């Protein structure tokens, strides 16, 4: 851990042996990035050492005023913002008819996602886990972007022509932001339509329906449905001729660390944005739950768009309650001051 001359935390230093010339494993670098975010979050709520932003190099500021619902005021700030970060969660996809698997109604058969989306569940019962993800893939292939996705994509394209930037940081693993036209999307939990071999580590895009013959017609969410119990050799397998190992969905499961390269890009976006939107997320899944509070704590306006208030609402500058597909298009529409 590194501190400046005044004892202020500034980051982590990764050391390696000159003899071996090997850096720390990637998952340890990732863990360091997550710890950095956790420390910043503790400061933003009044706990832990004072932390500085590596970009602004200034002390983080705690937001104290209640969230406003003044759209006109938000639109004025939006018109002047040069670098906008938009953090999206499952609530955005839910408006396209995608199950969220959270809350009382968020069950697939008798399980919630945190029961199935783990490395332990996969190696214990890969057939069951693949049924769950096959169902989700098939659902997603039948869905399309909604008004919120389209508003974000249109805003990004429009502001790009003005020399302004919009970056989407998403917790969802679907493909709807890309389908809507968004070009700058950071997927912190990776993608439902990618696979990774558990033997050789090869990652590939896969949008096949079904992903393998044995899963065709399987994956019903009905709680009375019997598990398919597909033999491992009939589940999706690596297509590399010298491998043929078992494939898994290339998504970040509960208990796994996030990709360090993606986290580094996220940190850069959060440290340089001058406006942040939090759209359709409950703000309870870490480390993503720390992203917006981290931005708010350095005095940058944060606007929350959700059907309900969340545990973080009072710490943000704005809160616009209602379906994102109704509130976001108005918020991101062309401002009268825009030249293009």
């Amino acid at each position: 851990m590194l501190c400046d001359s005044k004892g202020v935390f500034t980051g982590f230093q990764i050391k390696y042996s000159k003899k071996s010339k090997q850096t720390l494993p990637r998952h340890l670098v990732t863990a360091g990035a997550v710890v950095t975010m956790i420390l910043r979050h503790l400061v933003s709520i009044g706990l832990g050492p004072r932390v500085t932003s590596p970009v602004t190099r200034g002390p983080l500021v705690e937001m104290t005023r209640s969230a406003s619902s003044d759209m006109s005021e938000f639109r004025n700030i939006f018109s002047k913002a040069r670098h906008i970060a938009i953090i999206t969660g499952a609530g955005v996809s839910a408006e396209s008819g995608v199950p969220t698997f959270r809350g009382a109604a968020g069950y697939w058969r008798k399980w919630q996602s945190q029961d199935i989306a783990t490395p332990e569940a996969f190696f214990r019962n890969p057939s069951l886990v693949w049924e769950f993800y096959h169902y989700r893939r098939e659902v997603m292939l039948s869905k399309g972007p909604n008004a919120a996705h389209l508003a974000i994509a249109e805003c990004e394209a429009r502001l790009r022509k003005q020399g302004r930037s919009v970056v989407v940081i998403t917790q969802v693993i679907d493909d709807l932001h890309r389908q809507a036209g968004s070009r700058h999307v950071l997927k912190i939990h990776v993608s439902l339509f990618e696979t990774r071999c558990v033997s050789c580590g090869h990652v590939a895009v896969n949008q096949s329906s079904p992903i393998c013959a044995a899963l065709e017609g399987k994956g019903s969410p009905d709680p009375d449905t019997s598990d398919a119990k597909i033999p491992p050799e009939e589940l999706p397998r690596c297509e590399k001729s010298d491998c043929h190992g078992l494939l898994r969905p290339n998504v970040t499961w509960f208990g796994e660390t996030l990709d360090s390269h993606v986290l580094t890009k996220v940190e850069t976006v959060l440290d340089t944005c001058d406006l942040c939107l939090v759209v359709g997320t409950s703000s309870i899944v870490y480390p993503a739950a720390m992203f917006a509070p981290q931005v708010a704590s350095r005095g940058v306006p944060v606007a929350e768009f959700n059907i309900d208030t969340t545990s973080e609402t009072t710490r943000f500058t704005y809160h616009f309650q209602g379906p994102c597909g109704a509130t976001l298009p108005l918020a991101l529409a062309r401002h009268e001051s825009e030249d293009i």
Side-chain angles (χ1 to χ4, degrees):
M1 188 170 71
L2 301 178
C3 298
D4 63 16
S5 60
K6 296 182 180 180
V8 177
F9 173 84
T10 58
F12 289 93
Q13 181 181 47
I14 304 301
K15 295 183 179 180
Y16 62 91
S17 166
K18 293 183 179 179
K19 183 177 180 180
S20 67
K21 301 292 185 181
Q22 293 181 342
T23 59
L24 286 176
R26 174 174 163 184
H27 72 278
L28 292 182
V29 178
T30 305
V34 172
V35 170
T36 302
M37 292 180 182
I38 292 173
L39 286 173
R40 290 182 178 182
H41 182 64
L42 289 175
V43 170
S44 73
I45 61 176
L47 301 174
R50 186 164 63 93
V51 183
T52 60
S53 163
V55 173
T56 63
R57 295 298 179 191
L60 298 180
V61 180
E62 185 175 359
M63 299 294 289
T64 56
R65 70 173 186 170
S66 300
S68 166
S69 60
D70 188 330
M71 181 63 77
S72 177
E73 182 181 294
F74 167 82
R75 292 275 294 160
N76 184 52
I77 291 177
F78 164 73
S79 71
K80 300 173 183 176
R82 304 297 300 175
H83 303 288
I84 302 172
I86 302 180
I87 303 167
T88 67
V92 177
S93 298
E95 292 187 29
S96 287
V98 179
T100 64
F101 298 105
R102 286 200 172 277
Y107 282 85
W108 177 81
R109 294 185 186 168
K110 61 181 180 181
W111 295 280
Q112 288 189 296
S113 59
Q114 55 265 43
D115 301 320
I116 300 177
T118 70
E120 295 79 12
F122 182 74
F123 287 104
R124 183 172 59 248
N125 193 343
S127 173
L128 180 67
V129 174
W130 261 120
E131 275 201 87
F132 173 62
Y133 280 96
H134 170 67
Y135 168 73
R136 297 184 71 177
R137 285 166 58 95
E138 294 298 301
V139 167
M140 283 312 311
L141 288 171
S142 69
K143 306 300 180 184
N146 59 56
H149 294 107
L150 296 173
I152 292 171
E154 191 279 332
C155 179
E156 177 189 346
R158 190 180 77 247
L159 297 193
R160 187 186 307 121
K161 297 176 182 178
Q162 303 172 24
R164 302 160 69 189
S165 67
V166 174
V167 180
V168 176
I169 302 168
T170 187
Q171 301 173 69
V172 298
I173 58 176
D174 59 45
D175 200 35
L176 295 181
H177 280 300
R178 185 196 63 81
Q179 289 182 36
S182 290
R183 291 170 52 180
H184 202 168
V185 181
L186 299 176
K187 293 186 174 184
I188 62 174
H189 294 148
V190 203
S191 174
L192 184 62
F193 293 102
E194 289 183 6
T195 59
R196 185 167 84 242
C197 178
V198 300
S199 297
C200 72
H202 178 66
V203 173
V205 175
N206 188 314
Q207 293 185 315
S208 299
S209 175
I211 190 171
C212 70
L215 281 167
E216 185 170 9
K218 303 298 191 296
S220 169
D222 191 313
D224 295 326
T225 302
S226 299
D227 298 345
K229 299 180 180 179
I230 301 169
E233 60 271 16
E234 296 181 19
L235 292 171
R237 311 297 297 194
C238 184
E239 294 184 356
K240 295 183 68 174
S241 59
D242 58 344
C243 182
H244 201 59
L246 179 65
L247 295 179
R248 56 163 282 180
N250 189 34
V251 297
T252 304
W253 282 332
F254 291 94
E256 294 184 322
T257 54
L258 304 180
D259 187 293
S260 60
H261 300 296
V262 175
L263 280 182
T264 297
K265 292 178 181 178
V266 167
E267 280 287 281
T268 299
V269 171
L270 297 179
D271 286 333
T272 57
C273 72
D274 51 8
L275 175 63
C276 178
L277 280 63
V278 186
V279 185
T281 175
S282 58
S283 297
I284 61 173
V285 178
Y286 283 76
M290 297 183 290
F291 293 166
Q294 175 181 324
V295 174
S297 65
R298 64 182 180 89
V300 173
V302 176
E304 182 180 54
F305 296 79
N306 210 332
I307 56 173
D308 296 307
T309 57
T310 69
S311 59
E312 301 292 342
T313 298
T314 57
R315 305 187 55 240
F316 297 149
T317 319
Y318 302 98
H319 173 80
F320 300 105
Q321 194 157 343
C324 302
T327 57
L328 207 58
L330 174 61
L332 298 182
R334 183 188 303 273
H335 190 270
E336 60 184 12
S337 65
E338 293 182 39
D339 295 330
I340 299 177

